[in-house]
Amino acid sequence: MLTASERHRLKKMAYDHKTPYQARQRATIVLLAARGRPNARIAMQTRLHMDTVRTWRGRFASGGLPALTDRRRSGRPASFTALQVAEVNALACQLPAETGTPLSRWSCPELAREVVARSIAGSISIATVRRWLKQDALKPWQYRSWIFVRDPAFRPKAARVLDLYARTFDGVPLGEGEYVISADEKTSIQARCRCHPTLAPGQARAMRVNHEYDRGGAVAYLAAYDVHRARVFGRCEPKTGIRPFMNLVTQVMTTEPYASARRVFWIVDNGSSHRGKKAIDRLTRAFPNAVMVHTPVHASWTNQIEIFFSIVQRKVVSPNDFTDLSEIRDRLRAFEDRYNATAQPFQWRFTTSDLDDLLARLDRHTHSVGWKNPPPVLAA
């Protein structure tokens, strides 16, 4: 006898195409039994053995719906102890150099070989090591590079740049006639003329670029990006330096609305073309309404022009196949026009509050590892 709830759930199991096949069979057996069908007829109708019908009918009679699931099985005895698993994971969390192994990083085959060599286990398969590492989300073959804060004035310099992105300077909102420019140089864009023509992509085939090429020289690409108007000004120069950078500044500052602007803030990194107080004075003498703002040392990620350069690298330069330098210049100029026609300002979400949280985490990390000489920005 079935209750209304049991009948509803059994019908859903039996007729839902998303239900696993075995569960549908078991639900069908119970539904047919509830209609008074004998085991032989149910077996004939479901094309199952009579013992199978008898088994699931009996389990439902004694345990209800939960009895239609598979019972827990003991399985094969464990081949490795929990201590062995922990020792393998601990080995994966050590640098190979610390253990005297002449490797830069671990791989699953190397770990399996080291486990046997250290007599942690008599034998172990690579698949077992891989499964254990996956369970604890360990990937010792991967690595990420990083750089620590070195600029003693990192916080005030970075905050000044981030405030400009938020239309604020020294605590005062920017007004009409004030603009923010992000500028930098992309050095050494080479003209690599492939020895064989590049083949266009096709069905199930990527674009094919010949590996061999002839060198046609290199050019430097200088660009200035209006942060809030999403407009790019660029130029190509034979090389980088003070004069090429000032040529870019002149190109921008002699056009409207920057020529008549009240203030134009130039955000630059600490490259040799615009480094230090001399660069600030040089810019101010040439254009009194221009204000140079430097990013912290080793913090070019705070300069939005780097985002534009990554776009240029992906969409214009790679794969590098140019017949000569003039083709590079023409394509970069054409891309600037194409970009300015549809560009929107970057959605910059990293604020001074996020900066303070980042520095606080770095400070906690510095004290947790017990460095004797922490960076000045964190020791203050």
Side-chain angles (χ1 to χ4, degrees):
M1 300 296 295
L2 300 177
T3 64
S5 175
E6 289 176 335
R7 188 179 297 276
H8 175 73
R9 292 185 60 184
L10 286 169
K11 284 185 176 181
K12 188 174 182 180
M13 289 173 59
Y15 303 127
D16 190 356
H17 68 279
K18 294 183 180 180
T19 304
Y21 179 70
Q22 289 183 338
R24 291 207 307 267
Q25 282 185 325
R26 297 165 189 176
T28 303
I29 291 172
V30 177
L31 287 173
L32 293 175
R35 296 176 186 174
R37 307 280 176 84
N39 290 344
R41 187 173 177 184
I42 295 175
M44 185 182 301
Q45 190 168 347
T46 58
R47 296 183 180 180
L48 297 172
H49 196 276
M50 191 182 301
D51 291 341
T52 304
V53 174
R54 187 182 298 111
T55 297
W56 291 110
R57 186 173 180 175
R59 287 192 186 181
F60 180 83
S62 60
L65 282 172
L68 295 182
T69 59
D70 291 333
R71 293 174 178 173
R72 292 180 60 86
R73 300 177 182 177
S74 60
R76 187 181 63 181
S79 302
F80 301 95
T81 64
L83 179 59
Q84 289 175 312
V85 176
E87 288 179 343
V88 172
N89 289 344
L91 180 62
C93 292
Q94 296 179 8
L95 295 177
E98 296 176 354
T99 63
T101 306
L103 297 172
S104 61
R105 45 189 168 156
W106 291 116
S107 64
C108 290
E110 294 292 350
L111 276 172
R113 187 180 307 168
E114 189 70 15
V115 167
V116 176
R118 290 170 176 259
S119 300
I120 297 176
S123 63
I124 188 171
S125 67
I126 299 173
T128 300
V129 173
R130 184 179 294 111
R131 185 176 68 253
W132 290 351
L133 297 182
K134 184 177 181 180
Q135 289 173 354
D136 287 349
L138 297 176
K139 299 179 181 180
W141 50 86
Q142 293 185 355
Y143 72 94
R144 294 177 62 184
S145 59
W146 60 284
I147 186 170
F148 213 87
V149 175
R150 291 182 55 190
D151 196 329
F154 182 88
R155 202 285 175 188
K157 287 183 179 180
R160 201 179 188 193
V161 173
L162 298 178
D163 286 342
L164 283 174
Y165 293 158
R167 298 179 180 271
T168 303
F169 184 72
D170 289 343
V172 180
L174 299 183
E176 294 293 333
E178 293 184 313
Y179 303 91
V180 179
I181 299 292
S182 174
D184 201 3
E185 305 96 351
K186 183 174 177 60
T187 60
S188 188
I189 301 179
Q190 297 186 35
R192 298 176 180 176
C193 183
R194 305 293 170 174
C195 296
H196 296 277
T198 298
L199 300 179
Q203 185 176 8
R205 187 189 71 223
M207 179 173 60
R208 298 181 180 180
V209 181
N210 181 240
H211 177 72
E212 295 182 316
Y213 57 86
D214 294 326
R215 295 181 182 272
V219 67
Y221 180 54
L222 290 77
Y225 174 75
D226 191 321
V227 171
H228 300 128
R229 297 174 67 232
R231 184 169 178 81
V232 175
F233 302 87
R235 63 182 300 112
C236 293
E237 297 282 354
K239 59 181 180 179
T240 61
I242 295 176
R243 181 172 295 178
F245 177 74
M246 290 305 297
N247 291 339
L248 174 67
V249 173
T250 303
Q251 176 184 340
V252 176
M253 296 301 295
T254 54
T255 59
E256 293 296 341
Y258 312 104
S260 59
R262 190 163 68 90
R263 283 189 301 183
V264 180
F265 298 93
W266 283 77
I267 299 176
V268 295
D269 59 16
N270 295 273
S272 59
S273 305
H274 34 68
R275 180 189 301 162
K277 185 69 166 54
K278 291 183 179 180
I280 296 176
D281 296 338
R282 185 166 53 247
L283 180 66
T284 304
R285 284 195 305 267
F287 302 97
N289 62 337
V291 180
M292 182 173 287
V293 178
H294 286 97
T295 64
V297 177
H298 292 316
S300 293
W301 57 269
T302 58
N303 201 346
Q304 288 197 21
I305 191 63
E306 300 295 344
I307 304 176
F308 175 73
F309 282 155
S310 69
I311 296 173
V312 170
Q313 181 65 35
R314 286 182 283 110
K315 294 190 175 184
V316 182
V317 178
S318 297
N320 194 318
D321 187 6
F322 301 100
T323 56
D324 51 30
L325 295 180
S326 61
E327 186 176 350
I328 296 179
R329 298 188 187 98
D330 294 341
R331 186 178 296 183
L332 287 172
R333 281 194 295 265
F335 180 75
E336 288 174 15
D337 297 336
R338 180 186 182 92
Y339 183 85
N340 290 332
T342 59
Q344 296 292 329
F346 299 129
Q347 297 182 5
W348 188 271
R349 296 188 176 91
F350 192 84
T351 63
T352 53
S353 298
D354 300 321
L355 175 66
D356 292 335
D357 294 339
L358 174 62
L359 293 179
R361 292 199 304 272
L362 292 176
D363 189 47
R364 290 193 299 269
H365 173 74
T366 302
H367 290 90
S368 65
V369 298
W371 283 358
K372 296 181 179 179
N373 298 313
V377 68
L378 303 178

